[in-house]
């Protein structure tokens, strides 16, 4: 790790013991000299669970003081697409390890995908996931409910019961699988209208991708790997935009990966339809050329695409056609990933590197400023997920969910130092900009000086 200046936490006044472990539990913080959204330096005072004051030279009496000179302050990040693997594959990730990774990445809320074992297709499972998130305490865990029973694509799961549960599910997805039956997709879109829900589609026509291993193109032919055509994604995106419009419901398109999907989304949004979309950090930075290494760490669903697709995705995120960045954090145990390409599982880690990759792909290229990053990684995902306590901005009275980022730090990605139980990051050894220095969840520090508390 380079460019990492140690941050001092000092204590003023009468409270507490002054030790670092105590600092994580105090209820008042004075963050000195942070730059909200990359703007002019100011102080932020956190009291209890809210931001109490924002302004220059605030009084730090009774608070722990955090020197944030040069750090950019953003609202806590919100992930729409996280695989936490619990219940069922706790060898790859747990809700505790996954949310610790999330906090280290600057996230204060994550949506946990339903493809666990058992599947999150009934109220009991989503309530269990929600409770385990509360117990871990690193980030709010909002379970995503399955659309169909067992993700089997045959009959609708108990969407209403999951919405009414203590987990208050609002996003439903069979992610990992596409709801390919148009009749089921129509019914799901109709059903969630009653409670303001949204269907998040993993857009992949299965009959066009049987056995597919990488993006279909010149390269797949040369490498002898079965191709995954862009049209397999685009045909479902187009169909579902039309269905959402027909029903008057809300569709969210997961991990958009092709220039053609962007064009369809741009058209659907121009009609005023209830369609939103996300892109992953890896689809903003990496291309299908990496498949030539035959290293399965680069095997992901949807596959890495061409440099032209990457350009179109960056443009779409910048102009708002794509609403949000979502990690698709997909931890896998070594034996599922370190094998030959054809046999390896699809997926990459994402939580701990998401902000750095967005900084590289979007801020470093001048496409987004820090306001834009906050909008695409906090404000809009919170709105899509219906999370009133997140994505609220950095003003007095807002919940104290925020992240402090060192924008000039450059960090070499080291898989061994990650909080995730898995090691399948595609950025190992790569130097990325921007380092998360601190994260606060409702006024409590979950990360200080780049370390989980
Ligand atoms: Zn997916």
């Amino acid at each position: 790790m380079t460019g990492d200046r140690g941050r001092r936490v000092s204590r003023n006044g009468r409270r507490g013991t002054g030790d670092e472990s105590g600092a994580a539990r105090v209820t008042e913080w004075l963050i000195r000299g942070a730059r909200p959204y990359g703007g002019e330096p100011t102080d932020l005072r956190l009291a209890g669970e809210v931001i109490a004051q924002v302004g220059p030279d605030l009084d730090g009496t009774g608070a722990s003081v955090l020197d944030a000179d040069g750090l950019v302050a953003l609202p806590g990040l919100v992930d729409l697409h996280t695989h936490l693997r619990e219940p069922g594959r706790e060898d790859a990730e747990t809700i505790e390890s996954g949310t610790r990774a999330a906090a280290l990445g600057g996230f204060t809320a994550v949506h946990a995908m339903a493809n666990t074992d058992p599947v999150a297709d009934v109220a009991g499972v989503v309530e269990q996931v929600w409770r385990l998130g509360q117990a871990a305490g690193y980030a709010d865990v909002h379970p995503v409910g399955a659309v169909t029973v067992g993700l089997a694509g045959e009959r609708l799961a108990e969407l209403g019961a999951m919405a009414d549960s203590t987990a208050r599910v609002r996003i439903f997805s069979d992610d990992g699988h596409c709801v390919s039956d148009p009749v089921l997709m129509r019914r799901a879109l109709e059903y969630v209208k009653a409670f303001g829900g949204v269907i998040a589609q993993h857009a992949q026509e299965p009959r066009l991708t049987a056995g597919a291993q990488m993006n279909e193109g010149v390269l797949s032919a040369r490498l002898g790997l079965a191709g995954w055509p862009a049209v397999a994604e685009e045909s479902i995106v187009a169909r579902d935009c039309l269905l959402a419009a027909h029903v008057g419901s809300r569709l969210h398109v997961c991990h958009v990966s092709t220039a053609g999907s962007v064009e369809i989304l741009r058209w659907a949004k121009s009609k005023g339809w209830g369609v939103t979309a996300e892109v992953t950090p890896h689809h903003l930075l990496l291309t299908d050329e990496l498949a030539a290494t035959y290293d399965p760490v680069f095997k992901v669903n949807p596959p890495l695409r061409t440099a032209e697709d990457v350009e179109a995705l960056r443009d779409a995120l910048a102009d708002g056609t794509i609403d949000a960045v979502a990690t698709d954090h997909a931890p896998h145990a070594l034996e599922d990933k370190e094998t030959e390409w054809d046999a390896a599982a699809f997926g990459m880690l994402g939580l701990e590197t998401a902000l750095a990759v967005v900084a590289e792909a979007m801020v470093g290229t001048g496409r987004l400023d820090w306001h834009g990053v906050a909008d695409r990684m906090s404000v809009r995902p919170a709105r899509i997920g219906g999370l009133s306590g997140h994505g609220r901005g950095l003003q007095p009275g807002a919940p104290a969910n925020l992240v402090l980022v060192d924008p000039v730090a450059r960090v070499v990605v080291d898989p061994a130092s990650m909080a995730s139980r898995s090691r399948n990051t595609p950025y190992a050894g790569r130097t990325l900009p921007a380092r998360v220095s601190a994260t606060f969840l409702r006024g409590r520090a979950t990360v200080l000086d780049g370390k989980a508390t």
Side-chain angles (χ1 to χ4, degrees):
M1 198 174 286
T2 55
D4 173 22
R5 291 161 286 159
R7 298 271 159 192
R8 281 192 58 78
V9 176
S10 61
R11 302 186 51 86
N12 285 1
R14 55 193 158 67
R15 284 164 180 260
T17 58
D19 65 304
E20 291 278 318
S21 60
R25 292 192 297 271
V26 296
T27 56
E28 298 213 8
W29 284 93
L30 183 69
I31 299 170
R32 186 77 83 191
R35 297 163 51 211
Y37 308 98
E40 291 303 308
T42 190
D43 297 347
L44 298 97
R45 183 160 177 143
L46 317 182
E49 298 190 352
V50 299
I51 299 172
Q53 288 175 285
V54 179
D57 304 319
L58 296 182
D59 178 13
T61 306
S64 278
V65 178
L66 177 61
D67 164 25
D69 181 33
L71 301 184
V72 172
L74 303 174
L77 308 182
V78 176
D79 194 13
L80 287 166
H81 194 141
T82 313
H83 296 278
L84 293 176
R85 303 299 188 215
E86 187 176 3
R89 283 307 301 265
E90 291 83 354
D91 58 326
E93 198 77 285
T94 65
I95 288 169
E96 196 273 343
S97 66
T99 53
R100 189 151 36 91
L104 286 163
F107 291 89
T108 52
V110 300
H111 289 81
M113 279 297 171
N115 63 338
T116 49
D117 183 12
V119 171
D121 59 1
V122 293
V125 177
V126 295
E127 287 181 341
Q128 178 194 4
V129 170
W130 185 83
R131 272 197 303 270
L132 288 168
Q134 294 286 109
Y138 284 112
D140 289 346
V141 175
H142 294 278
V144 172
V147 176
T148 69
V149 174
L151 308 175
E154 287 165 6
R155 56 196 173 89
L156 284 188
E158 296 172 5
L159 310 185
M162 289 188 274
D164 290 341
S165 74
T166 49
R168 295 185 50 76
V169 176
R170 288 294 176 273
I171 302 181
F172 296 87
S173 181
D174 273 4
D175 183 63
H177 301 268
C178 181
V179 181
S180 63
D181 179 340
V183 178
L184 263 183
M185 189 62 186
R186 174 186 178 163
R187 276 204 214 114
L189 286 163
E190 284 170 343
Y191 200 98
V192 298
K193 276 177 74 175
F195 46 83
V198 57
I199 302 295
Q201 175 71 293
H202 172 118
Q204 178 192 353
E205 169 49 54
R207 287 168 60 83
L208 287 169
T209 52
Q213 293 289 328
M214 69 166 290
N215 179 51
E216 180 179 295
V218 180
L219 200 58
S220 62
R222 178 155 31 103
L223 297 176
L225 292 170
W228 187 307
V231 68
E233 175 175 309
E234 293 155 4
S235 57
I236 295 291
V237 174
R239 182 202 76 176
D240 288 354
C241 287
L242 293 165
L243 281 173
H246 182 66
V247 171
S249 187
R250 287 176 59 210
L251 168 73
H252 178 73
V253 182
C254 295
H255 41 52
V256 172
S257 73
T258 77
S261 293
V262 167
E263 285 308 301
I264 295 161
L265 289 165
R266 198 167 274 137
W267 167 74
K269 287 196 163 191
S270 76
K271 300 278 194 183
W273 296 345
V275 176
T276 56
E278 70 190 32
V279 62
T280 71
H282 47 271
H283 287 108
L284 290 170
L285 192 64
L286 308 178
T287 69
D288 61 350
E289 302 270 330
L290 289 163
T293 64
Y294 290 102
D295 183 342
V297 80
F298 301 115
K299 181 176 175 180
V300 65
N301 177 350
L304 299 176
R305 303 287 189 181
T306 67
E308 292 72 37
D309 292 306
V310 169
E311 284 298 298
L313 294 169
R314 290 178 177 186
D315 288 345
L317 184 65
D319 72 20
T321 301
I322 293 176
D323 301 79
V325 174
T327 68
D328 197 5
H329 178 80
H332 286 294
L334 279 184
E335 67 268 24
D336 295 327
K337 205 59 182 170
E338 294 196 354
T339 174
E340 65 274 24
W341 182 285
D342 279 25
F346 291 98
M348 300 171 167
L349 299 185
L351 286 168
E352 292 173 75
T353 49
L355 188 60
V357 173
V358 171
E360 172 99 344
M362 301 300 292
V363 181
T365 59
R367 282 178 160 91
L368 283 182
D369 59 14
W370 290 108
H371 260 291
V373 172
D375 184 69
R376 308 301 196 270
M377 296 188 79
S378 177
V379 178
R380 290 214 218 184
R383 201 180 298 150
I384 290 165
L387 310 184
S388 58
H390 293 271
R392 289 275 301 282
L394 300 174
Q395 62 283 75
N401 298 319
L402 63 144
V403 54
L404 300 174
V405 187
D406 185 342
V408 298
R410 300 200 44 94
V411 178
V412 179
V413 178
D414 174 15
S417 71
M418 287 185 156
S420 173
R421 282 207 174 173
S422 295
R423 294 289 171 260
N424 54 307
T425 174
Y427 310 110
R430 188 164 178 152
T431 302
L432 291 173
R435 171 181 179 267
V436 172
S437 182
T439 308
F440 290 86
L441 174 63
R442 281 184 292 282
R444 194 173 56 79
T446 55
V447 173
L448 281 177
D449 203 14
K451 297 178 186 67
T453 60

